[in-house]
Amino acid sequence: MTKPNTLTIAGSDSGGGAGIQADLKTFHARGTHGLTAVTAITSQNTRGVTAVHTLPLVHIRSQIEAVFDDFPIAAVKTGMLGSAAVTRLVAREMQRRKPPWLVVDPVMIATSGARLLDEDAMDALVNRLIPLADVVTPNLPEAEALLGRPVGRDIDAAGADLLALGARAVLLKGGHARGRDIVDRYYDADGVLEIRHPRLPFEGHGSGCTLASALAAELARGKPPRAAARAALAWVNKAFQRAWRPGAGAAHVLGH
């Protein structure tokens, strides 16, 4: 039996609910073999992030080289990059390696509120990495940071502006909006696709990491982008329904 190889370039979560740990669990659950390039080590639990250590660029680059030199990689997902230097490095490597699919999750702030992306990194993210992406997956606060303005009521205008940053598609997550239902919107050259599902009465730790990884896995397995987005969102919704609290904090970890 063979499985497609999927690579996550992201930070480690010692609490196991987000980051590299969530990515690997998702890759496995969605039928792919997970590879990693760790960008940072966080000291983290269900209560919050207490420390972040970014790895030296040489070690991040060597991890990327090691996996690309050995494995045929079907899709890459990027998560926490942390700094402008790391973001530029990853963009250079992706431009050089040209993976079949690249999903960029613009991780900026943890669920606990801890900042996970330096302000100086925004320019590198917008101008270097996102234009290489097949899909970029911001939530509403991340979308506002990328655009430099509030999203406001005209979400479709924001979606069009995000698409203009250069990615082939944008999956704009609606969890931070109000309403009984969560409305996620997928924007591409063919227009907008809305996917609705009921809002659950808690916030899932690592949900953004899990969704981007599920999307990368579905693309790696051969689904076209819109079908991959639908499948990833449906699976994450089920993972939310299986969520539980493994620690003393309020954070729920998704059930993979």
Side-chain angles (χ1 to χ4, degrees):
M1 183 181 65
T2 61
K3 298 180 180 182
N5 299 307
T6 43
L7 168 64
T8 171
I9 306 174
S12 169
D13 170 11
S14 56
I20 289 281
Q21 286 80 354
D23 296 340
L24 286 176
K25 287 186 283 187
T26 302
F27 287 160
H28 176 74
R30 301 312 301 151
T32 71
H33 174 61
L35 312 169
T36 66
V38 180
T39 58
I41 300 168
T42 69
S43 300
Q44 185 173 171
N45 56 29
T46 58
R47 293 189 176 106
V49 180
T50 57
V52 176
H53 171 68
T54 301
L55 270 66
L57 294 180
V58 64
H59 295 308
I60 298 172
R61 182 186 298 110
S62 69
Q63 293 175 82
I64 295 172
E65 290 176 349
V67 292
F68 270 99
D69 288 350
D70 188 36
F71 300 92
I73 295 175
V76 176
K77 174 256 178 178
T78 68
M80 175 189 174
L81 301 178
S83 70
V86 173
T87 305
R88 288 193 295 267
L89 166 65
V90 171
R92 286 195 302 271
E93 289 297 320
M94 294 304 98
Q95 192 162 29
R96 174 188 172 198
R97 305 286 182 172
K98 294 181 171 53
W101 297 104
L102 175 60
V103 177
V104 173
D105 184 20
V107 175
M108 299 176 190
I109 299 174
T111 303
S112 63
R115 188 167 188 88
L116 300 177
L117 184 73
D118 291 348
E119 293 183 10
D120 293 342
M122 188 64 66
D123 180 72
L125 183 63
V126 169
N127 294 308
R128 301 287 295 274
L129 187 57
I130 286 178
L132 302 176
D134 292 288
V135 189
V136 61
T137 63
N139 58 32
L140 290 173
E142 289 163 349
E144 292 181 340
L146 291 171
L147 295 174
R149 64 171 176 82
V151 168
R153 293 186 177 182
D154 194 348
I155 295 180
D156 286 343
D161 289 345
L162 288 166
L163 197 59
L165 296 179
R168 290 181 178 84
V170 175
L171 177 53
L172 182 57
K173 299 173 289 191
H176 287 78
R178 295 180 179 179
R180 294 179 60 184
D181 288 345
I182 291 178
V183 183
D184 300 306
R185 293 172 171 86
Y186 183 90
Y187 298 91
D188 60 11
D190 294 325
V192 58
L193 171 68
E194 288 191 357
I195 300 130
R196 293 176 176 266
H197 49 90
R199 185 183 299 275
L200 296 174
F202 59 85
E203 188 167 359
H205 180 52
S207 57
C209 306
T210 300
L211 175 58
S213 297
L215 176 55
E218 298 296 344
L219 291 168
R221 293 171 61 200
K223 281 191 173 67
R226 283 197 169 202
R230 280 187 179 276
L233 285 164
W235 183 79
V236 171
N237 186 42
K238 291 180 180 178
F240 260 101
Q241 295 173 28
R242 298 190 294 264
W244 82 102
R245 290 172 57 185
H252 286 67
V253 171
L254 304 193
H256 291 73

